[in-house]
Amino acid sequence: MNDAQPKPRSRIQQENRRRILDAALDMFSQHGYRGTTLDQIAEAAGLSKPNILYYFGGKEEIHVTLLNNLMRTWLAPLERLAPEGEPLEELLGYIRRKLQMSRDFPRESRLFANEILQGAPRMGPHLESGLRPLFDAKCRLIADWVAAGRIAPVDPGHLIVSIWATTQHYADFEAQLAVLMPERDALWRGAEAHLEAMFAKLLTP
Amino acid sequence: MNDAQPKPRSRIQQENRRRILDAALDMFSQHGYRGTTLDQIAEAAGLSKPNILYYFGGKEEIHVTLLNNLMRTWLAPLERLAPEGEPLEELLGYIRRKLQMSRDFPRESRLFANEILQGAPRMGPHLESGLRPLFDAKCRLIADWVAAGRIAPVDPGHLIVSIWATTQHYADFEAQLAVLMPERDALWRGAEAHLEAMFAKLLTP
DNA sequence: TCGTGAGTTTACCAAATGGTAAAAAAGCGG
DNA sequence: CCGCTTTTTTACCATTTGGTAAACTCACGA
């Protein structure tokens, strides 16, 4: 229904679009949508403002593009939660992947958090069409595991929400954690150990 | 060093300041600092913009006032975590109080989340001077409980962080949860049951 | 090497925004 | 009811911001 056009982008187009999106991700994730100006993005990208508007239709189009890109990488870890493996290992693996994403892609995590915090004004449909089916499917998978007695009884939905909450928190609230637990390396190691232990204990039948 | 002045505010001053702060809390928690305009606050408060600037020195002063007020109510639940009681009951009580705050004061939770997400530009000092000592003290308390074998071994810092993450998530990511778990009443009941069960299992020796 | 289209810059603009000055209106103690 | 203070409104302003028009430069294939 929309831009599934080919996209025969020249070398320079690709490079400049990438720079703009990278700069915009920096800004939007730190200052939110309205807190970010085109001039900031332009300066961070090393381009002039009109030049940026040559590559994107406007501020909102940049933001939406980022959100669309985000959705894919964001769903990936959950998609890999598969019925074939050992349930406990599958879930702990998911937790590990999710925590890794918080550490390696904190900007993406904050962009998402900002968008949701503000009521998901530009993402509502995506949640409904992209996230929800996946969430429901994985809830069913977990419910099956519970029914089969392969993991301890647990509300699948709230389990997934707990995993999101705990893992994303380390990216989204980094500014707070930097004050409370200043040793960065120890923080991530401690986080992984704690979350694995916590969810293992919760899920072991 | 600053406004610890008496504050002999007239009836009308108190009322109007309250209305402004309430309206500003609505706006700031939903749109962030830069995403909120004085005109929005004015309209929501039912006052004219210059009138608002009669009560507050400027936009930033309103925001800082809200943040200061927030700090007090925000620390209260953790302060009540006391060494006298049964450790497990104390911690579960804390979790219950924290979740209740997410349900009853989602605006405050989101205001806080917004501020931290953006790097705590107007709250950094408060975290250091207000939150950190409390956090450290409660970590020591929990460590003592662990050392005494009264709760299962757990990293106190990460335990507290997990409690924050899971409880606040229900307020901060409400827009997302509204899509995934539309039945509002069931959501809060399920959240309480799930979190109590999860942390009880984690902490029971 | 020259023409042409892709890419970039300069010079703007209208609207929005935080904030101010000063006059007007309300309150209110006497 | 008066006079003085508090509160509110009207009329502005300078800056910022998203965006545009059009001129200009550059790459590159014929």
Side-chain angles (χ1 to χ4, degrees):
Chain A
M1 195 170 262
N2 51 19
D3 56 316
Q5 314 146 357
K7 32 166 159 173
R9 302 236 156 85
S10 74
R11 211 59 34 79
I12 193 163
Q13 282 244 4
Q14 287 199 309
E15 163 68 3
N16 277 350
R17 280 179 66 96
R18 198 196 52 70
R19 282 169 63 184
I20 292 168
L21 289 174
D22 189 71
L25 178 55
D26 265 359
M27 295 298 122
F28 283 136
S29 66
Q30 201 172 128
H31 307 296
Y33 179 74
R34 295 220 29 206
T36 298
T37 69
L38 279 178
D39 293 281
Q40 283 170 33
I41 297 175
E43 195 192 334
L47 297 171
S48 68
K49 181 168 61 175
N51 202 4
I52 283 191
L53 293 168
Y54 171 73
Y55 289 102
F56 289 91
K59 184 182 173 182
E60 180 152 0
E61 191 181 304
I62 300 176
H63 194 242
V64 168
T65 302
L66 282 173
L67 253 25
N68 286 351
N69 293 351
L70 175 59
M71 209 57 189
R72 264 173 284 147
T73 57
W74 218 235
L75 297 182
L78 184 54
E79 271 161 356
R80 283 179 52 192
L81 191 75
E84 291 82 29
E86 172 63 27
L88 184 60
E89 257 323 303
E90 283 290 326
L91 285 163
L92 291 181
Y94 173 52
I95 290 158
R96 243 176 268 125
R97 290 194 293 276
K98 204 84 195 6
L99 186 61
Q100 215 164 12
M101 288 200 61
S102 281
R103 183 179 35 189
D104 298 341
F105 305 105
R107 296 182 306 173
E108 280 81 353
S109 187
R110 287 186 205 122
L111 179 72
F112 184 76
N114 258 306
E115 174 69 7
I116 302 293
L117 254 183
Q118 327 217 327
R122 274 170 278 280
M123 220 189 194
H126 275 69
L127 294 181
E128 192 67 57
S129 68
L131 180 57
R132 182 146 190 216
L134 184 63
F135 176 79
D136 288 342
K138 298 310 177 182
C139 277
R140 265 177 268 123
L141 171 58
I142 294 172
D144 288 346
W145 283 339
V146 168
R150 302 182 68 190
I151 56 175
V154 68
D155 183 308
H158 287 282
L159 170 63
I160 293 179
V161 168
S162 291
I163 293 172
W164 289 344
T166 48
T167 53
Q168 291 174 12
H169 192 89
Y170 286 97
D172 302 341
F173 285 70
E174 201 175 286
Q176 186 187 23
L177 294 177
V179 171
L180 301 179
M181 305 164 100
E183 292 163 60
R184 213 174 164 285
D185 288 356
L187 178 111
W188 288 105
R189 260 180 290 119
E192 181 163 352
H194 173 258
L195 292 183
E196 282 198 42
M198 181 167 84
F199 285 106
K201 213 164 176 181
L202 170 65
L203 296 170
T204 302
Chain B
M1 195 169 258
N2 52 19
D3 58 317
Q5 315 147 358
K7 36 167 161 169
R9 303 234 156 86
S10 74
R11 212 57 34 80
I12 193 165
Q13 282 245 3
Q14 287 199 308
E15 164 68 3
N16 277 349
R17 283 180 64 97
R18 197 195 54 69
R19 281 170 63 185
I20 292 167
L21 289 174
D22 189 70
L25 178 56
D26 265 359
M27 295 298 122
F28 283 137
S29 66
Q30 200 172 131
H31 307 297
Y33 179 73
R34 296 218 31 205
T36 298
T37 70
L38 279 177
D39 293 281
Q40 283 172 35
I41 297 174
E43 195 191 335
L47 297 171
S48 68
K49 181 168 62 175
N51 202 3
I52 281 190
L53 293 168
Y54 171 73
Y55 289 102
F56 289 91
K59 186 182 173 182
E60 180 152 0
E61 191 180 305
I62 300 176
H63 194 241
V64 168
T65 302
L66 283 174
L67 253 25
N68 287 350
N69 293 353
L70 174 59
M71 209 57 189
R72 264 173 285 150
T73 57
W74 219 235
L75 297 182
L78 184 54
E79 270 160 359
R80 283 179 54 191
L81 191 75
E84 291 82 29
E86 173 62 28
L88 184 61
E89 256 324 302
E90 283 290 326
L91 285 164
L92 290 180
Y94 174 51
I95 288 159
R96 243 175 269 125
R97 290 195 294 276
K98 204 84 196 8
L99 186 62
Q100 214 164 12
M101 288 199 60
S102 280
R103 183 179 35 188
D104 298 341
F105 305 105
R107 297 181 305 171
E108 281 80 354
S109 188
R110 287 185 205 123
L111 179 72
F112 184 76
N114 258 306
E115 173 70 6
I116 302 293
L117 253 183
Q118 327 217 326
R122 275 169 278 279
M123 220 189 193
H126 276 68
L127 293 181
E128 192 67 58
S129 68
L131 181 57
R132 181 146 190 215
L134 183 64
F135 178 79
D136 288 343
K138 297 311 178 183
C139 277
R140 264 177 269 121
L141 172 58
I142 294 171
D144 288 347
W145 283 339
V146 168
R150 302 181 69 188
I151 56 175
V154 68
D155 182 309
H158 288 281
L159 169 64
I160 293 179
V161 169
S162 291
I163 293 173
W164 288 346
T166 48
T167 54
Q168 291 174 12
H169 192 89
Y170 286 97
D172 302 340
F173 286 69
E174 200 174 288
Q176 186 187 23
L177 294 177
V179 171
L180 301 179
M181 305 164 99
E183 291 164 59
R184 213 176 162 283
D185 288 355
L187 178 111
W188 288 104
R189 259 182 289 118
E192 181 162 352
H194 174 257
L195 292 183
E196 281 198 44
M198 179 167 84
F199 285 105
K201 214 164 176 182
L202 170 64
L203 296 169
T204 301

